[in-house]
Amino acid sequence: MVCVCNATYCDTLDPVVLPALGTYVKYESSKAGKRLERSEGSFQRSLHAPGTRCGRQRLAGSCLRPTVTPASLPADLVLTVDTTQRYQKVKGFGGSVTDAAAMNILSLPETAQDHLLRSYFSEEGLEYNLVRLPMASCDFSLHAYTYDDVPFDYELTHFSLRDEDTKLKASALAMSKQPLSLYASPWTSPTWMKTSESFVGKGTLKGQAGDKYHKTWANYFVRFLDEYAKYNLTFWAVTAENEPSAGLINNYPFQCLGFTAEQQRDFIAWDLGPALANSSHRHIQLIILDDNRLHLPHWAKVVLEDEKAARYVHGIGIHWYLDFIGPIQDTVVPTHELFPDYFILATEACIGAHFWERDVILGCWDRGNQYSHSILTNLNHFVAGWTDWNLALDLEGGPNWVKNYVDSPVIVDSSEGIFYKQPMFYHMGHFSKFIPEGSQRVGLVASKESKKVDLEYTAFLRPDGAVVVVVLNR
């Protein structure tokens, strides 16, 4: 099931209004067709804490034992919130503005473009606050390019943003009225800096950390931030490289730049860290890895046990593509335990990337379930947020210059001037709309009786004092 939006119609949500004391608000989406459907109810007097009424509470300890049994849950299920147990704070939720996403958004009639962006970013939509941008091209571009393809331009004299940035990405971002945390990731350096002298395939930066190639590549990040600032777009963070392991693979099919953990450590310590620290962007956050969590905790240990590199780093980015062979308990959890002061952020996920998956399946409910399952698993294991891949793709799952088509929560049919909101879109909303930046995960325990029901759940204390519980019944 999909929701169809065009120039004259698009479904909207009301801004979230906190419930009165002793009451709750429930939002439900279902395979049968509910889409963030709102209802209200009252708490029963708690069996666990007799004589207390609990709704939106300002941290009264004993009062945090309400029993809520919406009709969709079995009557013997009790989820108990415990706000004395505190875990990670949330950075947020969002998606990526690739060249492809921006092209698809801007291919619609202007009012439909507005509907699409409001659906993601406004109070009548999902209230996304995180946006990832590729630095120059990626596979979801019409062709491969960087911002300085003039050979041996070590001074970056010829560095310039492309139409893809100024006419597409900047235009799309300018339409969002909410403050956004933007973060950027490079796929490849200019080919003249690479051992392969190619955008694709196995290749690393020429030379070694501290030399002119590495210094120039670090300054390229600063120039990128400088140029975007001219369009009034400032960044919260950069990642040191998108999927650095990709550039270590023979015949890798699209833009990449290889780094081992040791090479990334040295590049940050000698080049990228100092370049950012000595620029006007010294407050920007630097994220390492930005690759499958399979590389943890090894990658984090190599980079963060080096004092010179670690002082420049703020967080660790993870992608979801090999989650099925890298359980979160063996990767993310030990990393958090070793380095609790560094945030862990899910920086990329999409369905359709594996060869055995169909690219676009309009209305596929199970793909929404996959998103929610991943988000819940991540949130329950110290991850601070979750970023989807392309915000919008076409009916084919592109454009993509190497035909690496995938699915997206929003699919655009520009020939009809319409776009489809898929189940993945509404699943994202159950998190992004209700768990704002600064919320903190708290304890949530299920009664033993609920073990026979296959539920996944998490709870957060919002900055405004309200508690949010998200439950997935797959």
Side-chain angles (χ1 to χ4, degrees):
M1 187 174 298
V2 290
C3 292
V4 184
C5 296
N6 57 28
T8 54
Y9 172 78
C10 201
D11 61 311
T12 57
L13 297 160
D14 291 327
V16 176
V17 178
L18 297 186
L21 205 62
T23 68
Y24 63 86
V25 176
K26 181 181 73 162
Y27 288 83
E28 189 176 357
S29 298
S30 68
K31 189 173 184 177
K34 288 183 181 176
R35 294 292 180 264
L36 287 162
E37 192 171 289
R38 185 181 188 277
S39 58
E40 297 176 19
S42 299
F43 286 106
Q44 302 166 7
R45 295 229 163 186
S46 172
L47 306 170
H48 301 277
T52 58
R53 273 174 68 237
C54 309
R56 185 177 111 226
Q57 57 278 69
R58 307 277 171 188
L59 293 181
S62 64
C63 185
L64 287 167
R65 301 255 185 277
T67 57
V68 187
T69 312
S72 57
L73 294 179
D76 59 3
L77 174 69
V78 180
L79 290 177
T80 304
V81 175
D82 180 1
T83 58
T84 62
Q85 289 182 49
R86 301 293 180 96
Y87 303 97
Q88 82 277 20
K89 285 199 169 170
V90 166
K91 177 61 196 174
F93 302 90
S96 305
V97 178
T98 57
D99 292 350
M103 287 165 62
N104 282 307
I105 294 166
L106 296 171
S107 72
L108 290 163
E110 265 185 40
T111 45
Q113 291 176 30
D114 187 57
H115 285 321
L116 195 160
L117 289 161
R118 290 176 73 82
S119 291
Y120 271 131
F121 297 110
S122 78
E123 277 198 315
E124 62 186 52
L126 303 191
E127 299 185 51
Y128 273 17
N129 71 317
L130 274 184
V131 175
R132 182 176 183 232
L133 265 84
M135 278 168 65
S137 67
C138 67
D139 53 324
F140 283 92
S141 300
L142 291 183
H143 60 112
Y145 63 88
T146 74
Y147 299 129
D148 195 345
D149 291 323
V150 177
F152 314 114
D153 181 15
Y154 299 109
E155 301 303 310
L156 299 176
T157 321
H158 298 278
F159 185 104
S160 72
L161 298 182
R162 300 295 200 100
D163 284 352
E164 282 89 346
D165 299 275
T166 57
K167 293 194 166 84
L168 292 175
K169 294 175 187 164
S171 301
L173 290 167
M175 292 177 6
S176 169
K177 307 289 182 279
Q178 314 311 105
L180 300 172
S181 290
L182 306 179
Y183 66 106
S185 306
W187 264 244
T188 181
S189 69
T191 56
W192 53 268
M193 297 185 195
K194 294 177 69 175
T195 54
S196 59
E197 305 211 328
S198 168
F199 288 125
V200 303
K202 185 176 181 177
T204 61
L205 286 174
K206 292 175 180 172
Q208 56 199 16
D211 72 6
K212 62 184 178 181
Y213 292 105
H214 288 70
K215 290 268 177 267
T216 305
W217 181 231
N219 290 332
Y220 182 105
F221 282 71
V222 176
R223 281 297 301 278
F224 168 83
L225 298 167
D226 288 342
E227 295 301 318
Y228 259 84
K230 294 175 184 173
Y231 290 85
N232 215 16
L233 291 168
T234 53
F235 283 75
W236 159 68
V238 292
T239 75
E241 171 61 32
N242 173 72
E243 298 190 353
S245 67
L248 306 175
I249 298 170
N250 282 323
N251 304 314
Y252 195 77
F254 54 86
Q255 297 94 314
C256 58
L257 181 62
F259 288 85
T260 62
E262 291 76 12
Q263 287 168 329
Q264 183 165 94
R265 171 196 69 201
D266 296 345
F267 172 56
I268 289 168
W270 291 97
D271 306 295
L272 183 57
L276 291 170
N278 294 322
S279 75
S280 58
H281 313 287
R282 65 187 65 87
H283 302 300
I284 203 156
Q285 308 265 297
L286 178 57
I287 298 171
I288 61 166
L289 190 57
D290 196 20
D291 203 334
N292 295 309
R293 71 185 184 205
L294 199 63
H295 297 283
L296 294 175
H298 168 74
W299 197 283
K301 285 162 109 168
V302 170
V303 179
L304 299 179
E305 284 173 358
D306 180 272
E307 276 179 43
K308 197 162 155 33
R311 65 183 172 182
Y312 296 117
V313 176
H314 303 85
I316 302 160
I318 52 173
H319 294 192
W320 88 334
Y321 301 105
L322 295 177
D323 282 4
F324 53 90
I325 52 173
I328 202 160
Q329 293 83 355
D330 303 335
T331 53
V332 172
V333 173
T335 304
H336 169 76
E337 287 167 352
L338 285 166
F339 307 106
D341 297 336
Y342 295 84
F343 66 81
I344 302 172
L345 181 69
T347 50
E348 190 183 310
C350 68
I351 301 178
H354 295 301
F355 68 84
W356 60 83
E357 294 175 321
R358 278 174 55 196
D359 302 333
V360 175
I361 305 178
L362 278 180
C364 178
W365 180 257
D366 184 60
R367 291 188 163 185
N369 278 344
Q370 287 180 57
Y371 267 38
S372 285
H373 169 68
S374 172
I375 297 167
L376 284 161
T377 305
N378 276 280
L379 292 177
N380 285 334
H381 295 88
F382 308 105
V383 175
W386 203 91
T387 319
D388 184 30
W389 189 207
N390 301 274
L391 283 179
L393 292 174
D394 63 23
L395 290 163
E396 198 170 28
N400 182 297
W401 74 279
V402 290
K403 299 187 165 42
N404 181 28
Y405 303 128
V406 302
D407 215 338
S408 168
V410 167
I411 296 294
V412 171
D413 181 352
S414 57
S415 68
E416 299 288 333
I418 62 176
F419 63 93
Y420 301 102
K421 292 181 185 174
Q422 303 224 65
M424 289 177 279
F425 175 90
Y426 297 94
H427 278 260
M428 285 293 300
H430 279 274
F431 302 92
S432 61
K433 191 165 182 67
F434 307 105
I435 308 174
E437 181 172 359
S439 298
Q440 187 169 19
R441 184 165 68 89
V442 293
L444 183 63
V445 186
S447 57
K448 288 187 178 63
E449 295 87 342
S450 67
K451 293 293 187 285
K452 58 179 177 272
V453 190
D454 189 21
L455 298 180
E456 299 167 55
Y457 38 79
T458 194
F460 284 84
L461 180 65
R462 292 161 43 113
D464 59 18
V467 168
V468 178
V469 176
V470 185
V471 181
L472 172 67
N473 182 356
R474 284 201 283 174

